[in-house]
Amino acid sequence: DAGVTQSPTHLIKTRGQHVTLRCSPISGHKSVSWYQQVLGQGPQFIFQYYEKEERGRGNFPDRFSARQFPNYSSELNVNALLLGDSALYLCASTWTSGSYEQYFGPGTRLTVT
Amino acid sequence: EDQVTQSPEALRLQEGESSSLNCSYTVSGLRGLFWYRQDPGKGPEFLFTLYSAGEEKEKERLKATLTKKESFLHITAPKPEDSATYLCAVQGLETSGSRLTFGEGTQLTVNP
């Protein structure tokens, strides 16, 4: 079975630009969460979506937004990129909103120059 | 607010030299404590979930234990392929949805 997939693998953007990251959960999983991992730190929670509804939001500015589609895939959008947005963006999927184990994708490495 | 502190930040072992990693946590009621392994540039790989004090789980050379304040990841006779960053995360009873709060991780290096 395919695990969580994310695209693109790597991305280089310039300050002020916009970026869209994509995630497909494990087949049968209905919940997707997004995390930001800065080098040398643990992942920080950004959003969770379940059945296309937002179920949680971390302490990130409004430049960050996300959505979930009917097929349970998800997009993370970041506007007006800052140098500090450079990080590994991780997507995790779970069966339902309250499920315990989360399974992570390989991540998207975003570099903002 | 849920908090997780991992120690040590980095650990270097010789192959076969057993040791333990520590994860101290603060939550207002624990729903679950999770251990992940992360290789450089990759996503975290799920290892264990622990739900209540006294619980233990094992997988190959790894054993995770849980008390009311901390969790330990014991590594018995490690091999070089066990080298990775080990992440601990918690989910509190008051946490909405599936949000995980992670520690900073312990970077483990096992020399042959």
Side-chain angles (χ1 to χ4, degrees):
Chain A
D1 286 341
V4 178
T5 59
Q6 293 187 242
S7 63
T9 305
H10 296 90
L11 203 52
I12 299 175
K13 290 286 189 177
T14 304
R15 277 180 300 175
Q17 286 188 318
H18 163 90
V19 68
T20 297
L21 310 181
R22 295 178 175 84
C23 170
S24 291
I26 293 171
S27 178
H29 284 192
K30 300 180 179 181
S31 176
V32 169
S33 297
W34 287 95
Y35 291 81
Q36 180 196 66
Q37 187 176 26
V38 173
L39 195 63
Q41 298 183 16
Q44 296 289 319
F45 174 77
I46 309 175
F47 286 111
Q48 184 204 355
Y49 276 78
Y50 173 66
E51 294 282 15
K52 296 181 291 181
E53 291 188 3
E54 184 183 299
R55 290 300 183 97
R57 173 186 286 257
N59 188 23
F60 281 80
D62 292 343
R63 300 184 296 108
F64 289 76
S65 64
R67 56 179 176 168
Q68 186 177 34
F69 300 99
N71 67 353
Y72 304 112
S73 67
S74 177
E75 282 184 354
L76 176 69
N77 295 282
V78 187
N79 293 322
L81 286 167
L82 303 174
L83 295 178
D85 294 331
S86 295
L88 181 67
Y89 287 85
L90 297 163
C91 173
S93 80
T94 57
W95 181 258
T96 67
S97 177
S99 290
Y100 301 150
E101 292 89 6
Q102 295 190 33
Y103 297 90
F104 285 83
T108 294
R109 171 68 64 186
L110 173 64
T111 302
V112 182
T113 62
Chain B
E1 182 180 332
D2 301 342
Q3 292 187 330
V4 176
T5 302
Q6 292 188 245
S7 62
E9 290 184 9
L11 181 62
R12 190 176 293 271
L13 300 173
Q14 289 298 123
E15 185 172 2
E17 179 186 3
S18 301
S19 187
S20 297
L21 312 183
N22 178 264
C23 170
S24 297
Y25 64 90
T26 303
V27 292
S28 52
L30 180 69
R31 185 189 294 178
L33 184 140
F34 308 84
W35 283 98
Y36 287 87
R37 169 195 169 124
Q38 187 174 29
D39 293 306
K42 298 188 177 181
E45 174 190 348
F46 172 76
L47 294 174
F48 303 110
T49 306
L50 301 167
Y51 298 109
S52 58
E55 190 175 0
E56 300 182 350
K57 287 192 177 174
E58 290 187 64
K59 179 181 180 180
E60 297 181 355
R61 294 177 293 282
L62 300 177
K63 179 181 177 179
T65 62
L66 180 65
T67 73
K68 289 186 177 181
K69 295 183 177 181
E70 56 192 350
S71 176
F72 293 93
L73 184 65
H74 307 279
I75 303 177
T76 302
K79 298 181 178 181
E81 52 262 42
D82 294 323
S83 298
T85 295
Y86 290 85
L87 295 166
C88 173
V90 296
Q91 199 174 71
L93 288 173
E94 296 183 1
T95 301
S96 61
S98 302
R99 176 179 185 156
L100 293 177
T101 298
F102 281 87
E104 304 269 290
T106 293
Q107 186 174 0
L108 175 65
T109 303
V110 182
N111 295 316

